[in-house]
Amino acid sequence: MAAANDAESEVFEITDFTNASEWERFVSRLEEVLTEWKLSGGSSRRLAPEKGEYTSGTWLEKSQDIKFADFKFYVTHYCLKQDKDDGGGNLEEDSLPSAMQDLLCMNNDFPPRAHCLVRWYGIREFVVITPGPNCEAIISESKCNLLLSSISICLTNTGCQVPVFVQIQQKQRRMYAGECQGPGGRTDFEMVHLRKVPTQYYHLSGLIDIFKSKIGCTHFPLPPVDITIRFTYILQDWQQYSWPQQPPDFDALLGGEVGGVEFGKLPFGACEEPISELHLATTWPHLTEGIVVDNDVYSDLDPLQAPHWSVRVRTAENPQCLLGEFLMEFFKLCCRVESSEDVLGRGLADDEGKESGDLSSALSKLTEPAAAVPITKLSVSSMVHSARKHIRRHRRINESPLSRDVLSSVLMYLFPDAAAEKSSRNVEDSAALSETTDKNSDNMFLHLKSAPGGSLTYRLALCVCVVNYNYGGLRAVAHLWQEFVLELRSRWENNCVISGLAAGPPDLRCCLLHQKLQMLNCCIERKRARDETHKVPTGNKVREQKMYGVCQSPGPGSESVAALVSVGETSEGKPWESWSDSEDEFFECLSDQGEMEAPQEGSRTKAEGRLHPYNGMTLLNSEEPLYIPVTQEPAPMTEDLLEEQSEVLAKLGSSAEGSHLRARMQSACLLSDMESFKAANPGCVLEDFVRWYSPRDYVEEVVVDEKGNTVVRGELSGRMKIPGNVWEEAWETARVVPARRQKRLFDDTKEAEKVLHYLAVQKPADVARHLLPCMFHAAVMKLEEEESVEGIPSVRRNIQQASAAASKLLHPSSLDYKKTEDFINQLVEMETVITRARSLKSKFSISDEEKGESTEELEKFVSSLLEESEVVISEAGHSRIGAIVHGLFVNAHKAPILASMEEDLGNDRKLTGGSKASDFPPPTGREILLRTCLPRPAPYSTVLPQRLFCVLMKEEFRLAGAFSTDTAFF
């Protein structure tokens, strides 16, 4: 019974060997990947690679992940994009795979820009298996052999002739092992990597010995070994050469920092050497064993006698560039959220609460129907002076972010007319200055929506950028902005036109801040013209035109201004000079002495506000001439006011009442012009007004009357005859009032206070965002200026592309911070390229004073160094460029020797009488490539390629071998 229980308790474990193991699944998955990439079977016939194609050609790359149990691998396929050989048909059965043929190709021995396996083995297509990012490296020999066995099985099953590698050891060691199979042959890729170079393998003779011993064929004489040698020399010491960056002027007010400049100029250049290393590669190609001697006793390898020289530069990563630093700090300012009150201190605002309240409510008090207190206490000037006095009393000089000297320099740069007598400047002078500035400035600001070069807004952006970087950052910018707004208010109060702004209404093509400053200038000009008009006792037509503006005839065939309904603003504000309790507001009446609008015979009312007759026309109902009236100019508006007005008009809806109200709001300017026209032309009708204001809406035709005479008759257009249209209603409601007696369409006092209040409440970050287009404009102009000196085609193309990108970036209302930062990085990259070119030119002794064929050759060489990965020097060391490069290394090599000579004068004898080879320092790296073809492993085996690539450096010794074996006859 017990025996039966023991039998039942036995457990039989049955292993099903028909199930695939993890290793078999891994091999199967690898085969699927190769088949999916169409790498199975014989490879197509391909052209032999041309010289330099590995560097200039396009490398294709695709990757896929596979798993060995829980271990993740990445399988990556690298391939040089190349046309197939169209001369060919199918490959012969016994032809070698492309990879084996590439082992012997000499057209691309040392590609400067390629995968390390391409440089070591010269292959143009291969597959690499690497461990996943979070997986441990393949260190053990058993794991490495398992993967190599998997690769061998996979290549055999699929017939793939593309070499497959697996990465082993730590990733930074760049060690690979692989295999390539072809018809009747196999190539094994092996590698050795050591920290130190063994003494016996430091020269060519020892490397040839190890290559022959690895081949292992001692039964027959070996064919000659083909040898290619490259020595690389690296120059890192630039102490013997001047730094191209201009030193600062320590005696100047704004000096003391590297690259420091005065206000109004952006700095440019690198604060450190942008070229970190210069690499010279001397190459001896296609040597044969026995021709060259290189051992521990003697060497024929003189770099000056090398037939091929090539140079490449290694640049410093992210060097500190002044223009980029200024722009990045300015951009960081745009991201701040503090207000000026937070930055400069809340105590100041708390102590001046009353005065601040008066300032903020000044507009409402000035526009009240009646003044409850004396006018002197409501004066904006008195409140501003009181606030300025309190600000200066509470802020000590030593506590101010900006010193008095710096602040004075900034304000003098922003307002250069402050040194002269402000009363001597007039509107014409400002207009002439602005016109000259616009002519000299570039039209780039139209694309960037910034401001004209040299304008006040443009100069303000430069000052804010310099102050932000050099004089205290956020606090200094807040201080400068506060003083700037106070200066604008002072100019408004004293009727002093702001210099550096174009005359006329705000230019909607510019940034909003520039429009605001132009609006303030318009207010100053209107107020100034009105004050001058009131000072003249007699009627002066010139000043009346300046005061109210003149609406000239649109001319025949031109688009009607009123037909588009000019946008005007009906202001309820009062004139600055008149404070009345009456709700009706008028301009003061002036004397009519000497005016053309004297009462005419037969006219029922007195004509007022005439300018001159209009093209000899007469009124339709009388023989009186038709006069052009003196009219008010339309109210200038900035883009934010236009948006607000559009929103208000849109909210009125599409109902009949809303449409009627919208039309009346838009016809304020039309109504004013009608009233002026009635005052200048008594007895006129609507047709007379349309003939002058909108000639296209008055249709004339030649007809024959009852008496048979040919006469010209006219009538209003169809849209003017529509009952209840805006023109008819406006004409019926229009009074006979000249422009000087009408309510102002543009209340300059109210608009000026609105602008000043808008500017005063701006945070430093808001100011920076307003000025950002101007900063980009200035930066691009600076890059164009510097590039024109250096002449770098790639930078010139990038500047054009950057300008187009900036125009799209800056036009949206909301700033995209990520794209803005990327754009600044593009500008920094262009600045870096220019500084690199300048540094190389100084090292190669290229000056603008000496021009000639040799100089042009050097400039072309420097330009190629910046754009290409490696530049070949024609005639090697015997050319002028080769002599300059040789001199660079000789000077760097002799500098430490000369320093030691000062300590020991006896070293003179040791330094004299050396060979030319001693002029060069020892090579930093040696690369030796050995190739041959021989039957292996038996003398009767197929002749197959053998290759060994050797790298000898101070802390690295690498042997990368590709050894082929005949698998059919062995």
Side-chain angles (χ1 to χ4, degrees):
M1 189 69 179
N5 293 335
D6 293 340
E8 293 178 359
S9 62
E10 291 181 4
V11 178
F12 294 94
E13 182 178 355
I14 301 175
T15 302
D16 188 1
F17 291 98
T18 60
N19 290 338
S21 64
E22 296 292 345
W23 175 62
E24 291 172 324
R25 292 192 185 96
F26 172 75
V27 174
S28 175
R29 179 60 182 147
L30 183 59
E31 292 176 3
E32 292 177 2
V33 171
L34 296 181
T35 304
E36 181 181 349
W37 289 343
K38 299 180 180 179
L39 300 180
S40 59
S43 60
S44 302
R45 184 184 296 273
R46 304 176 66 183
L47 296 171
E50 299 179 358
K51 189 174 183 61
E53 189 175 2
Y54 284 5
T55 302
S56 60
T58 302
W59 285 87
L60 304 179
E61 179 180 346
K62 52 186 174 182
S63 181
Q64 196 165 343
D65 60 288
I66 61 176
K67 285 188 176 182
F68 191 134
D70 295 333
F71 200 94
K72 188 174 183 180
F73 288 95
Y74 282 122
V75 183
T76 308
H77 176 227
Y78 298 90
C79 180
L80 177 66
K81 186 178 180 181
Q82 196 177 27
D83 296 333
K84 295 183 178 180
D85 188 0
D86 53 0
N90 297 328
L91 291 173
E92 299 178 3
E93 294 183 359
D94 56 348
S95 62
L96 294 177
S98 298
M100 293 186 183
Q101 299 177 19
D102 293 340
L103 296 176
L104 300 176
C105 182
M106 299 181 182
N107 292 334
N108 298 274
D109 282 343
F110 303 99
R113 185 185 301 162
H115 194 279
C116 60
L117 292 176
V118 177
R119 186 178 184 89
W120 296 335
Y121 297 114
I123 51 181
R124 49 184 153 167
E125 184 178 13
F126 55 96
V127 176
V128 179
I129 302 176
T130 57
N134 298 323
C135 300
E136 60 183 8
I138 309 299
I139 299 177
S140 67
E141 185 176 358
S142 60
K143 291 182 179 180
C144 178
N145 292 333
L146 179 62
L147 289 175
L148 289 176
S149 300
S150 304
I151 292 174
S152 181
I153 294 174
C154 179
L155 294 178
T156 303
N157 293 341
T158 59
C160 176
Q161 298 183 7
V162 176
V164 179
F165 295 86
V166 59
Q167 186 174 17
I168 58 178
Q169 301 297 327
Q170 292 80 5
K171 188 174 183 179
Q172 62 271 17
R173 297 186 63 182
R174 296 190 302 172
M175 289 195 64
Y176 298 88
E179 183 178 331
C180 176
Q181 293 186 6
R186 182 184 75 247
T187 300
D188 295 319
F189 297 93
E190 304 174 4
M191 195 170 295
V192 174
H193 182 234
L194 302 176
R195 292 287 301 275
K196 297 294 182 179
V197 181
T199 307
Q200 64 271 26
Y201 303 133
Y202 195 77
H203 298 281
L204 176 61
S205 57
L207 296 174
I208 293 178
D209 292 340
I210 195 175
F211 180 55
K212 292 181 178 180
S213 64
K214 180 61 180 177
I215 295 175
C217 295
T218 58
H219 302 289
F220 50 87
L222 289 176
V225 177
D226 183 87
I227 305 171
T228 301
I229 302 175
R230 166 172 286 204
F231 286 179
T232 302
Y233 300 86
I234 298 179
L235 179 60
Q236 297 175 322
D237 186 9
W238 305 110
Q239 297 179 3
Q240 305 297 321
Y241 305 96
S242 60
W243 185 28
Q245 177 65 42
Q246 294 294 329
D249 184 5
F250 291 97
D251 297 330
L253 172 64
L254 304 177
E257 293 192 11
V258 174
V261 292
E262 66 220 27
F263 289 108
K265 294 182 180 179
L266 286 177
F268 192 89
C271 296
E272 56 185 293
E273 177 57 60
I275 304 297
S276 60
E277 295 177 353
L278 178 70
H279 293 201
L280 170 65
T282 60
T283 307
W284 292 266
H286 314 320
L287 302 177
T288 57
E289 183 182 1
I291 292 181
V292 61
V293 178
D294 180 43
N295 51 42
D296 56 352
V297 178
Y298 175 80
S299 177
D300 290 331
L301 301 176
D302 181 2
L304 289 177
Q305 302 302 323
H308 294 288
W309 277 23
S310 59
V311 178
R312 60 187 301 183
V313 293
R314 176 171 293 180
T315 57
E317 295 184 3
N318 302 323
Q320 182 184 5
C321 294
L322 294 173
L323 179 61
E325 290 286 328
F326 271 59
L327 291 177
M328 192 57 68
E329 290 299 323
F330 191 87
F331 172 68
K332 292 178 181 178
L333 180 63
C334 299
C335 304
R336 303 294 291 269
V337 296
E338 298 89 345
S339 64
S340 298
E341 184 181 84
D342 298 333
V343 174
L344 299 177
R346 291 185 177 274
L348 179 63
D350 295 338
D351 294 338
E352 299 175 359
K354 185 177 182 301
E355 288 79 1
S356 300
D358 291 339
L359 282 172
S360 61
S361 59
L363 179 61
S364 60
K365 291 185 178 181
L366 289 173
T367 54
E368 287 178 358
V373 293
I375 186 62
T376 56
K377 293 186 179 181
L378 285 176
S379 171
V380 175
S381 177
S382 63
M383 287 184 283
V384 170
H385 289 311
S386 176
R388 190 193 295 257
K389 181 176 64 177
H390 280 273
I391 290 173
R392 290 177 176 173
R393 184 177 69 241
H394 285 279
R395 181 192 296 144
R396 300 176 183 176
I397 297 178
N398 56 356
E399 295 178 354
S400 299
L402 293 176
S403 65
R404 181 178 299 177
D405 294 337
V406 173
L407 184 60
S408 176
S409 300
V410 176
L411 294 179
M412 287 299 295
Y413 170 72
L414 293 175
F415 304 99
D417 58 335
E421 293 183 4
K422 296 182 180 180
S423 59
S424 65
R425 303 190 62 85
N426 49 34
V427 179
E428 288 78 6
D429 295 338
S430 175
L433 176 63
S434 301
E435 184 179 357
T436 303
T437 302
D438 290 341
K439 288 181 180 179
N440 296 333
S441 63
D442 189 51
N443 289 331
M444 186 180 297
F445 77 92
L446 299 178
H447 302 286
L448 302 182
K449 197 174 176 60
S450 61
S455 63
L456 175 60
T457 313
Y458 187 90
R459 298 198 302 266
L460 176 63
L462 298 179
C463 289
V464 170
C465 184
V466 174
V467 166
N468 176 62
Y469 190 84
N470 288 332
Y471 298 100
L474 184 64
R475 296 186 72 249
V477 172
H479 184 193
L480 172 60
W481 180 249
Q482 188 180 70
E483 294 292 336
F484 179 78
V485 175
L486 290 176
E487 176 65 23
L488 294 180
R489 182 173 287 280
S490 174
R491 287 176 174 260
W492 158 247
E493 295 167 6
N494 297 307
N495 289 356
C496 182
V497 177
I498 304 172
S499 61
L501 297 173
D507 190 350
L508 301 181
R509 301 172 300 176
C510 300
C511 62
L512 181 59
L513 180 59
H514 189 77
Q515 297 177 38
K516 292 292 184 181
L517 296 179
Q518 284 184 307
M519 173 67 81
L520 182 60
N521 225 17
C522 289
C523 298
I524 295 175
E525 292 175 356
R526 296 285 182 94
K527 178 185 174 184
R528 189 172 180 174
R530 188 173 66 254
D531 291 348
E532 291 179 359
T533 304
H534 282 222
K535 292 178 183 178
V536 180
T538 59
N540 190 315
K541 191 166 299 300
V542 175
R543 281 180 167 75
E544 187 176 9
Q545 295 175 21
K546 191 184 303 181
M547 169 66 191
Y548 302 106
V550 178
C551 185
Q552 300 289 350
S553 170
S558 63
E559 184 67 25
S560 172
V561 178
L564 300 176
V565 188
S566 300
V567 179
E569 182 181 16
T570 58
S571 174
E572 298 297 333
K574 298 182 179 181
W576 179 255
E577 300 78 21
S578 176
W579 294 84
S580 173
D581 292 341
S582 172
E583 295 293 334
D584 296 328
E585 303 169 12
F586 300 94
F587 285 94
E588 295 181 3
C589 300
L590 301 179
S591 174
D592 292 329
Q593 297 178 7
E595 294 183 349
M596 291 179 58
E597 54 267 33
Q600 303 292 330
E601 183 180 356
S603 61
R604 292 175 295 176
T605 59
K606 178 182 177 182
E608 295 183 272
R610 285 179 172 178
L611 186 61
H612 58 77
Y614 176 62
N615 293 342
M617 290 186 180
T618 59
L619 300 179
L620 295 177
N621 295 341
S622 66
E623 297 299 326
E624 294 292 331
L626 190 152
Y627 282 89
I628 296 177
V630 177
T631 60
Q632 296 191 62
E633 292 184 1
M637 302 188 75
T638 57
E639 61 182 19
D640 60 334
L641 296 180
L642 289 174
E643 292 177 1
E644 292 178 5
Q645 188 178 63
S646 300
E647 292 178 0
V648 172
L649 296 177
K651 290 180 180 179
L652 294 177
S654 57
S655 62
E657 182 180 358
S659 301
H660 183 73
L661 182 59
R662 185 186 302 107
R664 293 196 60 182
M665 291 177 62
Q666 293 177 319
S667 61
C669 184
L670 177 64
L671 179 63
S672 172
D673 293 341
M674 286 182 172
E675 292 180 346
S676 300
F677 188 84
K678 284 185 175 181
N681 300 279
C684 62
V685 293
L686 176 61
E687 287 78 358
D688 294 320
F689 178 76
V690 173
R691 290 165 64 201
W692 163 67
Y693 206 76
S694 180
R696 288 188 175 184
D697 286 310
Y698 188 78
V699 182
E700 293 182 342
E701 58 181 352
V702 179
V703 297
V704 180
D705 59 3
E706 299 175 352
K707 299 179 181 181
N709 298 326
T710 302
V711 295
V712 178
R713 292 182 180 178
E715 60 179 355
L716 295 176
S717 62
R719 65 172 183 167
M720 290 294 179
K721 294 180 180 180
I722 299 176
N725 66 76
V726 177
W727 287 62
E728 286 186 358
E729 291 187 0
W731 183 260
E732 293 175 359
T733 58
R735 300 174 297 174
V736 183
V737 182
R740 61 185 179 183
R741 299 178 184 272
Q742 295 174 7
K743 184 187 302 183
R744 280 185 289 173
L745 291 178
F746 178 64
D747 190 344
D748 50 74
T749 304
K750 177 180 178 181
E751 294 301 326
E753 289 297 331
K754 287 170 64 177
V755 171
L756 291 172
H757 176 71
Y758 176 85
L759 298 178
V761 300
Q762 294 295 302
K763 298 179 181 179
D766 298 332
V767 176
R769 281 191 288 268
H770 282 303
L771 297 176
L772 189 60
C774 297
M775 279 307 307
F776 285 167
H777 180 196
V780 173
M781 294 293 292
K782 185 67 174 179
L783 287 171
E784 286 186 345
E785 176 187 349
E786 299 294 337
E787 187 279 329
S788 63
V789 177
E790 305 301 333
I792 307 174
S794 61
V795 175
R796 190 180 306 115
R797 293 190 300 268
N798 292 337
I799 289 176
Q800 297 175 356
Q801 296 174 1
S803 302
S807 62
K808 299 178 182 179
L809 178 66
L810 297 173
H811 275 260
S813 56
S814 59
L815 184 65
D816 191 329
Y817 290 98
K818 182 62 172 66
K819 292 183 179 179
T820 303
E821 186 175 2
D822 294 340
F823 177 75
I824 294 177
N825 291 331
Q826 294 179 13
L827 300 182
V828 173
E829 182 62 28
M830 287 184 278
E831 180 188 12
T832 304
V833 173
I834 295 176
T835 56
R836 289 169 182 168
R838 188 166 297 169
S839 176
L840 287 175
K841 284 186 176 182
S842 66
K843 292 173 177 55
F844 281 88
S845 303
I846 302 176
S847 61
D848 297 333
E849 299 176 357
E850 300 179 2
K851 291 293 184 181
E853 294 183 1
S854 58
T855 303
E856 293 179 358
E857 181 183 2
L858 285 174
E859 290 181 349
K860 184 178 180 181
F861 175 75
V862 170
S863 178
S864 300
L865 277 179
L866 295 173
E867 297 180 359
E868 300 177 12
S869 56
E870 190 171 273
V871 181
V872 177
I873 300 178
S874 59
E875 299 181 10
H878 304 288
S879 63
R880 183 190 176 189
I881 298 177
I884 294 176
V885 174
H886 179 213
L888 294 175
F889 282 92
V890 168
N891 294 334
H893 182 49
K894 285 185 177 180
I897 299 178
L898 294 176
S900 63
M901 286 177 59
E902 297 179 358
E903 301 177 0
D904 186 5
L905 297 178
N907 290 337
D908 285 340
R909 298 179 181 177
K910 299 180 181 180
L911 293 175
T912 58
S915 64
K916 292 184 178 180
S918 63
D919 290 341
F920 269 96
T924 305
R926 304 185 184 194
E927 295 173 290
I928 300 175
L929 178 56
L930 307 176
R931 281 174 291 214
T932 189
C933 283
L934 52 81
R936 186 170 177 264
Y940 49 83
S941 300
T942 306
V943 177
L944 297 175
Q946 317 292 329
R947 176 185 175 115
L948 179 65
F949 191 93
C950 313
V951 180
L952 293 80
M953 300 179 66
K954 184 178 180 180
E955 295 184 353
E956 181 179 1
F957 175 70
R958 185 185 301 272
L959 300 178
F963 305 104
S964 304
T965 305
D966 189 350
T967 57
F969 301 98
F970 55 91

